Coordinates of all heavy atoms in Angstrom, one line a residue:
M915 N 0.8 -1.2 0.0 CA 0.0 0.0 0.0 C 0.9 1.2 0.0 O 1.6 1.4 0.9 CB -0.9 0.0 1.2 CG -1.8 1.1 1.3 SD -3.0 1.0 2.6 CE -4.3 0.0 1.8
P916 N 0.8 2.1 -1.0 CA 1.7 3.3 -1.1 C 1.4 4.2 0.0 O 0.2 4.4 0.4 CB 1.3 3.9 -2.5 CG 0.7 2.8 -3.2 CD 0.1 1.9 -2.3
T917 N 2.4 4.9 0.5 CA 2.2 5.9 1.5 C 2.9 7.2 1.0 O 4.1 7.2 0.6 CB 2.9 5.6 2.9 OG1 2.2 4.4 3.4 CG2 2.7 6.7 3.9
L918 N 2.2 8.3 1.0 CA 2.6 9.6 0.4 C 2.7 10.6 1.6 O 1.8 10.6 2.4 CB 1.7 10.1 -0.7 CG 1.3 9.1 -1.7 CD1 0.2 9.6 -2.6 CD2 2.5 8.7 -2.6
N919 N 3.7 11.4 1.6 CA 3.9 12.4 2.7 C 4.0 13.7 2.1 O 4.8 13.9 1.2 CB 5.1 12.0 3.6 CG 4.9 10.7 4.3 OD1 4.1 10.7 5.2 ND2 5.6 9.7 4.0
Y920 N 3.3 14.7 2.7 CA 3.3 16.1 2.2 C 3.3 17.0 3.4 O 2.9 16.7 4.5 CB 2.0 16.4 1.4 CG 1.8 15.5 0.2 CD1 0.9 14.4 0.3 CD2 2.5 15.7 -1.0 CE1 0.7 13.6 -0.8 CE2 2.3 14.9 -2.1 CZ 1.4 13.8 -2.0 OH 1.2 13.0 -3.0
E921 N 3.8 18.3 3.1 CA 3.7 19.3 4.1 C 3.2 20.6 3.4 O 3.6 20.9 2.3 CB 5.1 19.6 4.8 CG 5.4 18.7 5.9 CD 6.6 19.2 6.7 OE1 7.0 20.4 6.6 OE2 7.1 18.5 7.5
F922 N 2.4 21.4 4.1 CA 1.8 22.6 3.6 C 1.9 23.7 4.6 O 1.7 23.4 5.8 CB 0.4 22.4 3.1 CG 0.2 21.3 2.0 CD1 -0.1 20.0 2.4 CD2 0.5 21.6 0.7 CE1 -0.2 19.0 1.4 CE2 0.4 20.7 -0.3 CZ 0.0 19.3 0.1
P923 N 2.1 24.9 4.2 CA 2.1 26.0 5.2 C 0.7 26.2 5.7 O -0.3 25.9 5.0 CB 2.5 27.2 4.4 CG 2.4 26.9 2.9 CD 2.4 25.4 2.8
A924 N 0.6 26.6 7.0 CA -0.7 26.8 7.6 C -0.7 28.0 8.4 O 0.3 28.5 8.9 CB -1.1 25.6 8.4
M925 N -1.9 28.6 8.6 CA -2.0 29.9 9.3 C -2.9 29.6 10.6 O -2.8 30.4 11.5 CB -2.7 30.9 8.5 CG -1.8 31.3 7.3 SD -2.6 32.4 6.1 CE -3.3 33.7 7.2
H926 N -3.7 28.6 10.6 CA -4.6 28.4 11.7 C -4.4 26.9 12.2 O -4.2 26.1 11.4 CB -6.1 28.5 11.3 CG -6.3 29.8 10.6 ND1 -6.5 31.0 11.2 CD2 -6.5 30.0 9.2 CE1 -6.7 31.9 10.3 NE2 -6.7 31.4 9.1
A927 N -4.5 26.8 13.5 CA -4.3 25.4 14.1 C -5.7 24.8 14.3 O -6.6 25.4 14.6 CB -3.6 25.4 15.4
A928 N -5.8 23.5 14.0 CA -7.0 22.7 14.3 C -7.3 22.9 15.8 O -6.4 22.7 16.6 CB -6.9 21.3 13.9
A929 N -8.5 23.2 16.1 CA -8.9 23.3 17.5 C -9.2 22.0 18.2 O -9.1 21.8 19.4 CB -10.1 24.3 17.7
L930 N -9.7 21.0 17.4 CA -10.2 19.7 18.0 C -9.6 18.6 17.1 O -9.4 18.7 15.9 CB -11.7 19.7 17.9 CG -12.5 20.8 18.6 CD1 -13.9 20.7 18.2 CD2 -12.3 20.6 20.1
P931 N -9.5 17.4 17.7 CA -9.2 16.2 16.9 C -10.4 15.8 16.2 O -11.5 16.0 16.7 CB -8.7 15.2 17.9 CG -9.3 15.6 19.3 CD -9.5 17.1 19.1
V932 N -10.3 15.2 15.0 CA -11.4 14.9 14.2 C -11.2 13.5 13.5 O -10.1 13.2 13.1 CB -11.7 16.0 13.1 CG1 -12.8 15.6 12.2 CG2 -11.9 17.3 13.7
H933 N -12.3 12.8 13.4 CA -12.3 11.5 12.6 C -13.5 11.6 11.7 O -14.7 11.7 12.1 CB -12.4 10.3 13.5 CG -12.5 9.0 12.8 ND1 -13.1 7.9 13.4 CD2 -12.2 8.6 11.5 CE1 -13.0 6.9 12.5 NE2 -12.5 7.4 11.4
V934 N -13.3 11.6 10.4 CA -14.3 11.7 9.3 C -14.2 10.6 8.3 O -13.1 10.3 7.9 CB -14.2 13.1 8.6 CG1 -15.2 13.2 7.4 CG2 -14.5 14.3 9.6
G935 N -15.3 10.0 7.9 CA -15.3 9.0 6.9 C -15.0 7.6 7.4 O -14.7 7.4 8.5
V936 N -14.9 6.7 6.4 CA -14.6 5.3 6.7 C -13.6 4.8 5.6 O -13.7 5.3 4.5 CB -15.8 4.4 6.7 CG1 -16.7 4.8 7.9 CG2 -16.6 4.5 5.4
V937 N -12.9 3.8 6.0 CA -12.1 3.1 4.9 C -12.9 2.0 4.4 O -13.2 1.0 5.0 CB -10.8 2.5 5.5 CG1 -10.0 1.9 4.5 CG2 -10.0 3.6 6.2
A938 N -13.5 2.3 3.2 CA -14.3 1.3 2.5 C -14.1 1.6 1.0 O -13.6 2.6 0.5 CB -15.8 1.5 2.9
S939 N -14.6 0.7 0.2 CA -14.5 0.8 -1.3 C -15.0 2.1 -1.8 O -16.2 2.5 -1.5 CB -15.3 -0.3 -1.9 OG -15.2 -0.2 -3.3
G940 N -14.1 2.9 -2.4 CA -14.5 4.2 -2.9 C -14.6 5.3 -2.0 O -15.1 6.4 -2.3
D941 N -14.2 5.1 -0.7 CA -14.3 6.1 0.3 C -13.0 6.5 0.9 O -11.9 5.9 0.5 CB -15.3 5.7 1.4 CG -16.0 6.9 2.1 OD1 -15.6 8.0 1.9 OD2 -17.1 6.6 2.7
L942 N -13.0 7.3 1.9 CA -11.8 7.9 2.5 C -12.0 8.2 4.0 O -13.1 8.8 4.3 CB -11.4 9.2 1.8 CG -10.3 10.0 2.3 CD1 -8.9 9.3 1.9 CD2 -10.3 11.4 1.7
E943 N -11.1 7.8 4.8 CA -11.1 8.2 6.2 C -10.0 9.2 6.5 O -8.9 9.1 5.9 CB -10.8 6.9 7.0 CG -10.6 7.2 8.5 CD -10.1 6.0 9.3 OE1 -9.0 5.5 8.9 OE2 -10.8 5.6 10.2
I944 N -10.4 10.3 7.2 CA -9.4 11.3 7.6 C -9.3 11.4 9.1 O -10.4 11.5 9.8 CB -9.7 12.7 7.0 CG1 -9.7 12.6 5.5 CG2 -8.7 13.7 7.5 CD1 -10.1 13.9 4.8
L945 N -8.2 11.4 9.6 CA -7.9 11.6 11.1 C -7.1 12.9 11.1 O -6.0 13.0 10.5 CB -7.1 10.5 11.7 CG -7.8 9.1 11.5 CD1 -6.8 8.0 11.9 CD2 -9.0 9.0 12.4
L946 N -7.5 13.8 11.9 CA -6.8 15.1 12.1 C -6.5 15.3 13.6 O -7.4 15.2 14.4 CB -7.6 16.3 11.5 CG -7.0 17.7 11.9 CD1 -5.6 17.8 11.3 CD2 -8.0 18.7 11.3
R947 N -5.3 15.5 13.9 CA -4.9 15.9 15.3 C -4.3 17.3 15.3 O -3.5 17.6 14.4 CB -3.8 14.9 15.8 CG -4.5 13.5 16.1 CD -3.4 12.6 16.7 NE -2.5 12.3 15.5 CZ -2.1 11.1 15.2 NH1 -2.4 10.1 16.0 NH2 -1.3 10.9 14.2
P948 N -4.8 18.1 16.3 CA -4.2 19.5 16.4 C -2.7 19.3 16.6 O -2.2 18.3 17.1 CB -4.9 20.0 17.6 CG -6.1 19.2 17.8 CD -5.8 17.9 17.3
P949 N -1.9 20.4 16.3 CA -0.5 20.4 16.4 C -0.2 20.1 17.9 O -0.8 20.7 18.8 CB 0.0 21.8 16.0 CG -1.1 22.3 15.2 CD -2.4 21.7 15.7
G950 N 0.8 19.2 18.2 CA 1.2 18.9 19.5 C 2.4 19.8 19.9 O 2.9 20.6 19.0
S951 N 3.0 19.6 21.0 CA 4.1 20.4 21.4 C 5.4 20.2 20.5 O 6.2 21.1 20.4 CB 4.5 20.1 22.9 OG 4.8 18.8 23.0
S952 N 5.5 19.1 19.9 CA 6.6 18.8 19.0 C 6.3 19.1 17.6 O 7.2 19.0 16.7 CB 7.1 17.4 19.2 OG 6.0 16.5 18.7
D953 N 5.1 19.6 17.2 CA 4.7 19.9 15.9 C 4.8 21.4 15.6 O 4.6 22.2 16.5 CB 3.3 19.5 15.6 CG 3.1 18.0 15.7 OD1 3.9 17.2 15.3 OD2 2.0 17.6 16.4
A954 N 5.1 21.7 14.4 CA 5.1 23.2 14.0 C 3.7 23.6 13.9 O 2.9 23.0 13.2 CB 5.9 23.3 12.7
A955 N 3.4 24.8 14.5 CA 2.1 25.3 14.5 C 1.7 26.0 13.2 O 0.6 26.3 13.0 CB 1.9 26.3 15.7
D956 N 2.7 26.1 12.3 CA 2.4 26.8 11.0 C 2.6 25.8 9.9 O 2.8 26.2 8.7 CB 3.4 27.9 10.8 CG 4.8 27.5 10.7 OD1 5.2 26.4 11.1 OD2 5.7 28.3 10.3
R957 N 2.4 24.5 10.1 CA 2.5 23.5 9.1 C 1.4 22.5 9.2 O 1.0 22.1 10.3 CB 3.8 22.7 9.2 CG 5.1 23.5 9.2 CD 5.4 24.3 8.0 NE 5.6 23.4 6.8 CZ 5.6 23.8 5.6 NH1 5.4 25.1 5.3 NH2 5.7 23.0 4.6
A958 N 0.9 22.0 8.1 CA 0.0 20.9 8.0 C 0.9 19.7 7.5 O 1.4 19.8 6.4 CB -1.1 21.2 7.0
T959 N 1.0 18.6 8.2 CA 1.7 17.5 7.8 C 0.6 16.4 7.4 O -0.3 16.2 8.1 CB 2.6 16.9 8.8 OG1 1.9 16.5 10.0 CG2 3.7 17.9 9.2
V960 N 0.8 15.9 6.2 CA -0.2 15.0 5.6 C 0.4 13.7 5.2 O 1.4 13.7 4.5 CB -0.9 15.7 4.4 CG1 -2.0 14.8 3.9 CG2 -1.5 17.1 4.7
R961 N -0.2 12.6 5.7 CA 0.2 11.3 5.3 C -1.0 10.6 4.6 O -2.0 10.5 5.2 CB 0.7 10.4 6.5 CG 1.1 9.0 6.1 CD 1.7 8.2 7.2 NE 0.8 8.1 8.3 CZ 1.1 7.5 9.4 NH1 2.3 7.1 9.7 NH2 0.1 7.4 10.3
V962 N -0.8 10.2 3.4 CA -1.8 9.5 2.6 C -1.4 8.0 2.5 O -0.4 7.7 2.0 CB -2.0 10.1 1.3 CG1 -3.1 9.4 0.5 CG2 -2.3 11.6 1.4
R963 N -2.3 7.2 2.9 CA -2.1 5.7 2.7 C -3.2 5.4 1.7 O -4.4 5.6 2.0 CB -2.3 4.9 3.9 CG -1.1 5.0 4.9 CD -1.3 4.1 6.0 NE -0.7 4.7 7.2 CZ -1.3 4.8 8.3 NH1 -2.5 4.3 8.6 NH2 -0.7 5.4 9.3
T964 N -2.8 4.9 0.5 CA -3.8 4.6 -0.6 C -3.7 3.2 -1.1 O -2.6 2.7 -1.1 CB -3.7 5.7 -1.7 OG1 -4.6 5.4 -2.7 CG2 -2.3 5.7 -2.3
S965 N -4.8 2.7 -1.5 CA -4.8 1.4 -2.2 C -4.5 1.4 -3.6 O -4.4 0.4 -4.3 CB -6.1 0.7 -1.9 OG -7.2 1.5 -2.5
V966 N -4.4 2.7 -4.2 CA -4.2 2.9 -5.6 C -2.8 3.4 -5.9 O -2.4 4.4 -5.3 CB -5.3 3.9 -6.1 CG1 -5.2 4.1 -7.6 CG2 -6.7 3.4 -5.7
T967 N -2.1 2.8 -6.8 CA -0.7 3.3 -7.2 C -0.8 4.3 -8.4 O -1.8 4.2 -9.2 CB 0.2 2.2 -7.5 OG1 -0.3 1.4 -8.5 CG2 0.4 1.3 -6.2
G968 N 0.2 5.1 -8.5 CA 0.3 6.0 -9.7 C -0.5 7.3 -9.7 O -0.6 7.9 -10.7
F969 N -1.0 7.7 -8.5 CA -1.8 8.9 -8.5 C -1.2 10.0 -7.6 O -1.9 10.9 -7.1 CB -3.2 8.6 -8.0 CG -4.1 8.0 -9.1 CD1 -4.1 6.6 -9.3 CD2 -4.9 8.8 -9.9 CE1 -4.9 6.1 -10.3 CE2 -5.7 8.2 -10.9 CZ -5.7 6.9 -11.1
D970 N 0.1 9.9 -7.5 CA 0.9 10.9 -6.6 C 0.6 12.3 -7.1 O 0.4 13.2 -6.2 CB 2.4 10.6 -6.7 CG 2.8 9.2 -6.2 OD1 1.9 8.3 -6.4 OD2 3.9 9.0 -5.8
T971 N 0.6 12.6 -8.4 CA 0.4 13.9 -8.9 C -1.0 14.4 -8.6 O -1.2 15.5 -8.2 CB 0.7 14.0 -10.4 OG1 2.0 13.5 -10.6 CG2 0.5 15.4 -10.9
V972 N -2.0 13.5 -8.7 CA -3.4 13.9 -8.5 C -3.6 14.2 -7.0 O -4.2 15.2 -6.6 CB -4.3 12.7 -8.9 CG1 -5.8 13.1 -8.4 CG2 -4.3 12.5 -10.4
W973 N -3.0 13.4 -6.1 CA -3.0 13.7 -4.7 C -2.4 15.0 -4.4 O -3.0 15.8 -3.6 CB -2.3 12.6 -3.9 CG -3.2 11.4 -3.6 CD1 -3.1 10.2 -4.1 CD2 -4.3 11.4 -2.6 NE1 -4.1 9.4 -3.6 CE2 -4.8 10.1 -2.7 CE3 -4.8 12.3 -1.8 CZ2 -5.9 9.7 -1.9 CZ3 -5.9 11.9 -1.0 CH2 -6.4 10.7 -1.0
R974 N -1.2 15.3 -4.9 CA -0.6 16.5 -4.6 C -1.4 17.7 -5.1 O -1.6 18.7 -4.4 CB 0.8 16.6 -5.3 CG 1.5 18.0 -5.1 CD 2.9 18.0 -5.6 NE 3.8 17.1 -4.9 CZ 4.3 17.3 -3.7 NH1 4.0 18.3 -3.0 NH2 5.1 16.4 -3.2
D975 N -2.0 17.6 -6.3 CA -2.8 18.7 -6.8 C -4.1 19.0 -5.9 O -4.4 20.1 -5.7 CB -3.3 18.4 -8.3 CG -2.1 18.4 -9.3 OD1 -1.0 18.9 -8.9 OD2 -2.3 17.9 -10.4
V976 N -4.7 17.9 -5.6 CA -6.0 18.1 -4.7 C -5.6 18.7 -3.4 O -6.3 19.6 -2.9 CB -6.7 16.7 -4.5 CG1 -7.8 16.8 -3.5 CG2 -7.3 16.3 -5.9
L977 N -4.5 18.2 -2.8 CA -4.1 18.7 -1.5 C -3.6 20.1 -1.5 O -3.9 20.9 -0.7 CB -3.1 17.8 -0.8 CG -3.6 16.4 -0.4 CD1 -2.4 15.5 -0.1 CD2 -4.6 16.5 0.7
E978 N -2.8 20.5 -2.5 CA -2.4 21.8 -2.7 C -3.5 22.8 -2.8 O -3.5 23.9 -2.2 CB -1.4 22.0 -3.9 CG 0.0 21.5 -3.7 CD 0.9 21.5 -4.9 OE1 0.4 21.8 -6.0 OE2 2.1 21.4 -4.7
R979 N -4.5 22.4 -3.6 CA -5.7 23.3 -3.8 C -6.4 23.5 -2.5 O -6.8 24.6 -2.2 CB -6.6 22.6 -4.9 CG -7.7 23.6 -5.4 CD -8.5 23.0 -6.5 NE -7.6 22.5 -7.6 CZ -7.6 21.2 -8.0 NH1 -8.4 20.3 -7.4 NH2 -6.8 20.8 -8.9
F980 N -6.6 22.4 -1.8 CA -7.3 22.4 -0.5 C -6.6 23.3 0.5 O -7.2 24.3 1.1 CB -7.5 21.1 0.1 CG -8.1 21.1 1.5 CD1 -9.5 21.3 1.7 CD2 -7.3 20.9 2.6 CE1 -10.0 21.4 2.9 CE2 -7.9 21.0 3.9 CZ -9.2 21.3 4.0
F981 N -5.3 23.1 0.7 CA -4.6 23.8 1.7 C -4.3 25.3 1.3 O -4.1 26.1 2.2 CB -3.3 23.1 2.1 CG -3.5 22.0 3.0 CD1 -3.5 20.7 2.5 CD2 -3.9 22.1 4.4 CE1 -3.8 19.6 3.4 CE2 -4.1 21.1 5.2 CZ -4.1 19.8 4.7
A982 N -4.4 25.6 0.1 CA -4.3 27.0 -0.4 C -5.4 27.8 0.1 O -5.3 29.0 0.4 CB -4.2 27.1 -1.9
H983 N -6.6 27.2 0.3 CA -7.8 27.9 0.8 C -8.2 27.5 2.2 O -9.0 28.2 2.8 CB -9.0 27.5 -0.1 CG -8.9 27.9 -1.5 ND1 -9.0 29.2 -1.9 CD2 -8.5 27.2 -2.6 CE1 -8.8 29.3 -3.2 NE2 -8.5 28.1 -3.7
N984 N -7.5 26.5 2.8 CA -7.8 26.0 4.1 C -6.5 25.8 4.9 O -6.1 24.6 5.1 CB -8.7 24.8 4.1 CG -10.0 25.0 3.5 OD1 -10.9 25.5 4.1 ND2 -10.1 24.7 2.2
P985 N -5.7 26.8 5.2 CA -4.4 26.6 5.8 C -4.5 26.2 7.3 O -4.2 26.9 8.2 CB -3.8 28.0 5.6 CG -4.9 29.0 5.7 CD -6.1 28.2 5.0
L986 N -4.9 24.9 7.5 CA -5.2 24.4 8.8 C -4.1 23.5 9.3 O -3.9 22.4 8.7 CB -6.6 23.6 8.8 CG -7.1 23.2 10.1 CD1 -7.3 24.4 11.1 CD2 -8.4 22.5 9.9
A987 N -3.4 23.9 10.3 CA -2.2 23.2 10.8 C -2.7 22.0 11.6 O -3.7 22.0 12.3 CB -1.4 24.1 11.7
G988 N -1.9 20.9 11.6 CA -2.2 19.7 12.3 C -1.6 18.5 11.7 O -0.9 18.7 10.6
R989 N -1.8 17.4 12.2 CA -1.3 16.1 11.7 C -2.5 15.4 11.0 O -3.4 14.9 11.7 CB -0.7 15.2 12.7 CG 0.7 15.8 13.1 CD 1.4 14.9 14.1 NE 0.7 15.0 15.4 CZ 0.8 14.1 16.4 NH1 1.5 13.0 16.2 NH2 0.1 14.3 17.5
W990 N -2.5 15.4 9.7 CA -3.5 14.8 8.9 C -3.1 13.4 8.4 O -2.1 13.2 7.9 CB -3.8 15.6 7.6 CG -4.3 17.1 7.9 CD1 -3.5 18.1 8.4 CD2 -5.6 17.5 7.6 NE1 -4.3 19.2 8.4 CE2 -5.5 18.9 7.9 CE3 -6.7 17.0 7.1 CZ2 -6.7 19.7 7.8 CZ3 -7.8 17.8 6.9 CH2 -7.8 19.2 7.3
E991 N -4.0 12.4 8.7 CA -3.8 11.1 8.1 C -5.0 10.7 7.3 O -6.1 10.7 7.8 CB -3.7 10.1 9.3 CG -2.5 10.3 10.2 CD -2.3 9.2 11.2 OE1 -2.7 8.0 10.9 OE2 -1.8 9.6 12.3
L992 N -4.7 10.4 6.0 CA -5.8 10.1 5.1 C -5.6 8.6 4.7 O -4.5 8.2 4.2 CB -5.7 10.9 3.8 CG -6.2 12.4 3.9 CD1 -5.3 13.2 4.9 CD2 -6.3 13.0 2.6
N993 N -6.6 7.8 4.9 CA -6.6 6.4 4.6 C -7.6 6.2 3.4 O -8.8 6.3 3.6 CB -7.0 5.5 5.8 CG -6.0 5.8 6.9 OD1 -4.8 5.6 6.7 ND2 -6.4 6.1 8.1
D994 N -7.1 5.9 2.2 CA -7.9 5.9 1.0 C -8.2 4.5 0.5 O -7.3 3.6 0.5 CB -7.1 6.7 -0.1 CG -7.8 6.6 -1.5 OD1 -9.0 6.8 -1.5 OD2 -7.1 6.3 -2.4
A995 N -9.4 4.3 0.1 CA -9.8 3.0 -0.5 C -10.4 3.3 -1.9 O -11.4 2.8 -2.2 CB -10.8 2.3 0.4
G996 N -9.7 4.1 -2.7 CA -10.1 4.4 -4.0 C -11.0 5.5 -4.2 O -11.8 5.6 -5.1
A997 N -11.0 6.5 -3.3 CA -11.9 7.7 -3.4 C -11.5 8.6 -4.6 O -10.4 8.7 -5.0 CB -11.8 8.5 -2.1
T998 N -12.6 9.1 -5.2 CA -12.3 10.1 -6.3 C -11.9 11.4 -5.7 O -12.1 11.7 -4.6 CB -13.7 10.3 -7.1 OG1 -14.6 10.9 -6.2 CG2 -14.3 8.9 -7.6
P999 N -11.3 12.3 -6.6 CA -10.9 13.6 -6.1 C -12.1 14.4 -5.5 O -11.9 15.1 -4.5 CB -10.4 14.3 -7.4 CG -9.8 13.1 -8.2 CD -10.8 12.0 -7.9
G1000 N -13.3 14.2 -6.0 CA -14.4 14.9 -5.4 C -14.7 14.4 -4.0 O -15.1 15.2 -3.1
V1001 N -14.7 13.1 -3.8 CA -14.9 12.6 -2.4 C -13.7 13.1 -1.5 O -14.0 13.4 -0.3 CB -14.9 11.0 -2.4 CG1 -14.9 10.5 -1.0 CG2 -16.2 10.6 -3.2
V1002 N -12.5 13.1 -2.0 CA -11.4 13.6 -1.2 C -11.6 15.0 -0.7 O -11.5 15.4 0.4 CB -10.1 13.4 -1.9 CG1 -8.9 14.1 -1.2 CG2 -9.7 12.0 -2.2
T1003 N -12.0 15.8 -1.7 CA -12.3 17.3 -1.3 C -13.4 17.4 -0.3 O -13.3 18.2 0.6 CB -12.6 18.1 -2.6 OG1 -11.5 18.0 -3.5 CG2 -12.9 19.5 -2.4
L1004 N -14.5 16.6 -0.5 CA -15.6 16.6 0.4 C -15.1 16.3 1.8 O -15.4 17.0 2.8 CB -16.7 15.7 0.0 CG -17.8 15.4 1.0 CD1 -18.7 16.7 1.2 CD2 -18.7 14.3 0.5
R1005 N -14.4 15.2 2.0 CA -13.9 14.7 3.3 C -12.9 15.8 3.9 O -13.0 16.0 5.1 CB -13.2 13.4 3.2 CG -14.2 12.2 2.8 CD -15.0 11.8 4.0 NE -15.9 10.7 3.6 CZ -17.2 10.8 3.6 NH1 -17.8 11.9 4.0 NH2 -17.9 9.8 3.2
L1006 N -12.1 16.4 3.1 CA -11.2 17.4 3.6 C -11.9 18.5 4.2 O -11.7 19.1 5.3 CB -10.2 17.8 2.5 CG -9.1 16.9 2.1 CD1 -8.5 17.3 0.8 CD2 -8.1 16.7 3.2
R1007 N -13.0 19.0 3.5 CA -13.8 20.2 3.9 C -14.5 19.8 5.2 O -14.7 20.6 6.1 CB -14.7 20.6 2.8 CG -14.0 21.3 1.7 CD -15.0 21.8 0.7 NE -14.3 22.7 -0.2 CZ -14.9 23.5 -1.0 NH1 -16.2 23.6 -1.0 NH2 -14.2 24.3 -1.9
Q1008 N -15.1 18.6 5.2 CA -15.8 18.1 6.4 C -14.9 18.1 7.7 O -15.3 18.6 8.8 CB -16.4 16.7 6.2 CG -17.6 16.6 5.3 CD -18.0 15.2 5.0 OE1 -17.1 14.3 4.9 NE2 -19.2 15.0 4.9
T1009 N -13.7 17.7 7.4 CA -12.7 17.6 8.5 C -12.3 19.0 9.0 O -12.3 19.3 10.2 CB -11.4 16.8 8.1 OG1 -11.8 15.5 7.6 CG2 -10.4 16.7 9.2
A1010 N -12.0 19.9 8.1 CA -11.7 21.3 8.5 C -12.8 22.0 9.2 O -12.6 22.6 10.2 CB -11.3 22.1 7.2
E1011 N -14.1 21.7 8.8 CA -15.2 22.3 9.5 C -15.3 21.8 10.9 O -15.5 22.5 11.9 CB -16.5 22.1 8.7 CG -17.7 22.7 9.3 CD -19.0 22.5 8.5 OE1 -18.9 22.6 7.2 OE2 -20.0 22.1 9.1
A1012 N -15.2 20.4 11.0 CA -15.4 19.8 12.3 C -14.2 20.2 13.3 O -14.4 20.2 14.5 CB -15.4 18.3 12.2
A1013 N -13.1 20.5 12.7 CA -11.9 20.8 13.6 C -11.9 22.3 14.1 O -11.0 22.7 14.8 CB -10.6 20.6 12.8
G1014 N -12.9 23.0 13.6 CA -13.0 24.4 14.0 C -12.0 25.3 13.3 O -11.5 26.3 13.8
G1015 N -11.8 24.9 12.0 CA -10.8 25.7 11.2 C -11.4 27.1 10.9 O -12.6 27.3 10.9
N1016 N -10.5 28.0 10.8 CA -10.9 29.4 10.6 C -10.6 29.9 9.2 O -10.7 31.0 8.9 CB -10.2 30.3 11.6 CG -10.6 30.0 13.0 OD1 -11.7 29.7 13.3 ND2 -9.6 30.1 13.9
G1017 N -10.3 28.9 8.3 CA -9.9 29.3 6.9 C -11.2 29.8 6.1 O -12.3 29.6 6.6
P1018 N -11.0 30.3 5.0 CA -12.1 30.8 4.2 C -13.1 29.8 3.7 O -14.2 30.1 3.6 CB -11.4 31.5 3.0 CG -10.0 31.1 3.0 CD -9.7 30.6 4.4
D1019 N -12.6 28.5 3.6 CA -13.6 27.5 3.1 C -14.0 26.6 4.2 O -14.7 25.6 4.0 CB -13.0 26.7 2.0 CG -12.8 27.5 0.7 OD1 -13.5 28.5 0.6 OD2 -12.1 27.0 -0.2
A1020 N -13.6 26.8 5.4 CA -13.9 25.9 6.5 C -15.3 26.1 7.0 O -15.9 27.1 6.8 CB -12.9 26.1 7.7

């Protein structure tokens, strides 16, 4: 199972830990933890575990677009079971909203 790691600049810290979605066919689970004492408060660290190979560029594009509008710091873990980019975007937005994000799209 491929694991992809990314970092994005962030301006707001997640206020709450969040669990959104499920790992199931065509779906996506996201776990978000607010920055801890050892984490940078101005960074979003993202780890993607996916069942699909060869979509690194698609993942990067979707995540860059999301974090450009939702600069929410924390430790993001995405567990993918073949979700489409639309489902990924939906789950990311749900997570940001539930975490108390203050970004423009949260």
Side-chain angles (χ1 to χ4, degrees):
M915 179 172 279
T917 300
L918 312 170
N919 293 291
Y920 303 98
E921 279 196 9
F922 300 96
M925 295 172 48
H926 312 282
L930 302 167
V932 177
H933 177 202
V934 172
V936 296
V937 181
S939 179
D941 209 342
L942 175 76
E943 171 188 60
I944 299 180
L945 305 167
L946 171 60
R947 287 181 289 226
S951 59
S952 64
D953 299 319
D956 64 346
R957 305 296 297 164
T959 59
V960 182
R961 179 173 62 186
V962 178
R963 288 186 214 132
T964 180
S965 60
V966 183
T967 58
F969 283 85
D970 302 27
T971 303
V972 174
W973 274 108
R974 178 174 296 285
D975 291 347
V976 169
L977 292 169
E978 282 179 348
R979 191 173 312 119
F980 174 77
F981 283 103
H983 297 285
N984 298 278
L986 189 59
R989 288 184 287 160
W990 296 72
E991 294 184 34
L992 286 65
N993 299 307
D994 174 46
T998 65
V1001 170
V1002 173
T1003 300
L1004 171 68
R1005 294 283 181 242
L1006 288 167
R1007 286 182 173 199
Q1008 288 173 324
T1009 303
E1011 182 178 315
N1016 296 326
D1019 288 346

